[in-house]
Amino acid sequence: MASFRVHEDLEKENRGVGPMAGKKAGGTVFGAAGKNQLQPQRTMLNVLNTNIPHADKTIKDAKNLRATGGAALMPKVGKADENACIPRAGLPAKAVQKATSNVTEAFKGFQVYDESKENLAAAACLLPKEETLHEKREPLQEIKNVQLLETPMSVGDSYSPMSVDKSAMIVVDEGHIPKNDRERFYEVEEYQEDILLYLKEAERRNRPKPNYMMKQTDINHSMRTILVDWLVEVSEEYKLHGETLALAVSYIDRFLSFMSVVRAKLQLVGTAAMFIAAKYEEIFPPDVSEFVYITDDTYTKNQVLRMEQLILKVLSFDLTVPTSLVFTNLYCVMNDVPDKVKYLTMYLCELSMLEADPYLTYVPSKIAAGALALARRILDLPMWSKMLENNTGYKLPSLKDIVLDLNKTHTLAATMAQQAIQEKYKSIKFKDVASLPVTKLTEETFDSICETLTRAATSSSQQAQPQQLLTSTSDQENGRAQKSLLIA
């Protein structure tokens, strides 16, 4: 087993070497033979399974050099060469050369093979002498000034054979693009009918009582109208969604159907209902302190939170209720309704929230269908069609009452004391549908429209019947001809 010594600190070990050390030792240099010889402690490092040639001889030479007054030459790691050795002072030149050669031979087994020079030489040999067409470039960069061969995949005059000429692409108009996740969900045709059936079932399960105001002793319809108009201003102030407003009004009506409220607490009920609806519908709902602020500090934070708990307890936490706005979005997506018709329908539905007397008797799906029919009438479009009848589940004669009530509300909208909804829909965002002229609609006009639609439906069905008869007779004649051929 071969072994070699490693100096932990060469500077500490050979402190005695040099003229300054000689003076301190009484004129003798440490390392010479005599009593003042310094023998520093060294650590031993055993190397297992190594066959280093001349290792023992190298160690003996180092000991002899140390005895003659020189320091042992040990390997020191440097930047230029790992196996280089630095000679000490007072070492003979021949001994230095001999020790260096011996140590170099001893550490040949620890040399690291470097392939970089050999690879560079091989790459230089492989390079052709002639100039190539490709310029020298870094990886993943675009090839320039290269004459590419035409391939079946090449399109246009681009350099890459897999690139596509964008100037020849045709932009296809995809039509109506849904603006939110709910409308995108309604776009799935396989689920539209099931969604509509579920919403119609849910709207009947959680309905407010139509005549609940008769049991209220301290509030009336006008107070409720003022409250709803104030909630519209609150929703516009904090930029809340329309669905948040519709849910808040629904929670108020359902709560007042079971609880009697004094007029001093009616605004507190509306504030707490809007707070619940915002937390249900909005991504970033306003804080409760904001709702305390909008009441001009009429109520405290604890009062709003306690009213919130009371409303949730009375409603049994059934907060997922379909509103007229939900059905409006569904109808517009299913029937590909233009934006202006959709905004006018939303405007009519929000006007219906101001009055509880006639509109609480209708379900939200019927209110949305009547508002859509009236909006189409105002914009000089066919009031109803077979597709609308199939997708909404309502025939036009069944919408007579709701359409006439909405037309009356629309006519009186300009003269009402509450103008928050009108100002909201006069903005460019909703295409100024609140400024459209009112269309007068009477019962006789509505009945005549219904008769016209029924006549058109019957005439189309009569035209379809002869075609069905022709196809059936032709099929029978073809069958007889085939039988006669078989018999022959």
Side-chain angles (χ1 to χ4, degrees), residues 146-296:
V146 181
Q147 296 178 356
L148 296 175
L149 297 176
E150 292 184 359
T151 62
M153 295 297 295
S154 61
V155 181
D157 297 332
S158 57
Y159 292 117
S160 175
M162 294 297 292
S163 61
V164 179
D165 187 10
K166 295 182 180 180
S167 62
M169 295 177 65
I170 301 174
V171 179
V172 180
D173 187 9
E174 297 180 356
H176 176 69
I177 300 175
K179 296 180 176 60
N180 51 43
D181 294 335
R182 186 180 288 109
E183 292 187 8
R184 293 189 186 95
F185 186 71
Y186 293 157
E187 283 285 344
V188 184
E189 297 181 358
E190 290 80 0
Y191 298 141
Q192 287 177 352
E193 294 182 2
D194 295 334
I195 292 171
L196 185 60
L197 291 175
Y198 172 76
L199 292 177
K200 285 186 176 181
E201 179 185 356
E203 70 178 354
R204 298 181 184 277
R205 188 168 56 246
N206 296 314
R207 283 190 63 191
K209 296 179 181 179
N211 299 321
Y212 72 82
M213 198 61 72
M214 297 177 62
K215 297 181 180 180
Q216 297 290 335
T217 58
D218 202 27
I219 59 175
N220 51 30
H221 287 291
S222 61
M223 295 180 184
R224 179 191 174 277
T225 302
I226 295 171
L227 176 64
V228 173
D229 184 75
W230 176 73
L231 291 177
V232 174
E233 294 179 353
V234 172
S235 65
E236 287 297 300
E237 178 68 23
Y238 290 102
K239 294 180 173 56
L240 303 179
H241 292 89
E243 181 63 21
T244 304
L245 174 65
L247 283 175
V249 175
S250 176
Y251 297 158
I252 292 169
D253 290 331
R254 290 172 60 194
F255 180 78
L256 295 179
S257 299
F258 297 99
M259 300 293 292
S260 179
V261 179
V262 295
R263 64 181 66 187
K265 299 295 182 181
L266 182 61
Q267 188 180 9
L268 179 61
V269 173
T271 304
M274 180 66 89
F275 182 46
I276 297 170
K279 290 196 291 185
Y280 180 88
E281 186 69 24
E282 301 292 331
I283 298 175
F284 301 104
D287 190 67
V288 62
S289 59
E290 297 291 337
F291 288 97
V292 174
Y293 171 76
I294 60 176
T295 60
D296 198 13

Side-chain angles (χ1 to χ4, degrees), residues 429-456:
K429 176 183 176 181
F430 297 105
K431 296 188 176 182
D432 195 15
V433 293
S435 301
L436 294 174
V438 179
T439 300
K440 294 182 180 180
L441 188 64
T442 59
E443 294 185 8
E444 292 78 8
T445 307
F446 189 86
D447 293 337
S448 63
I449 293 172
C450 292
E451 290 178 1
T452 304
L453 289 176
T454 53
R455 290 174 185 174

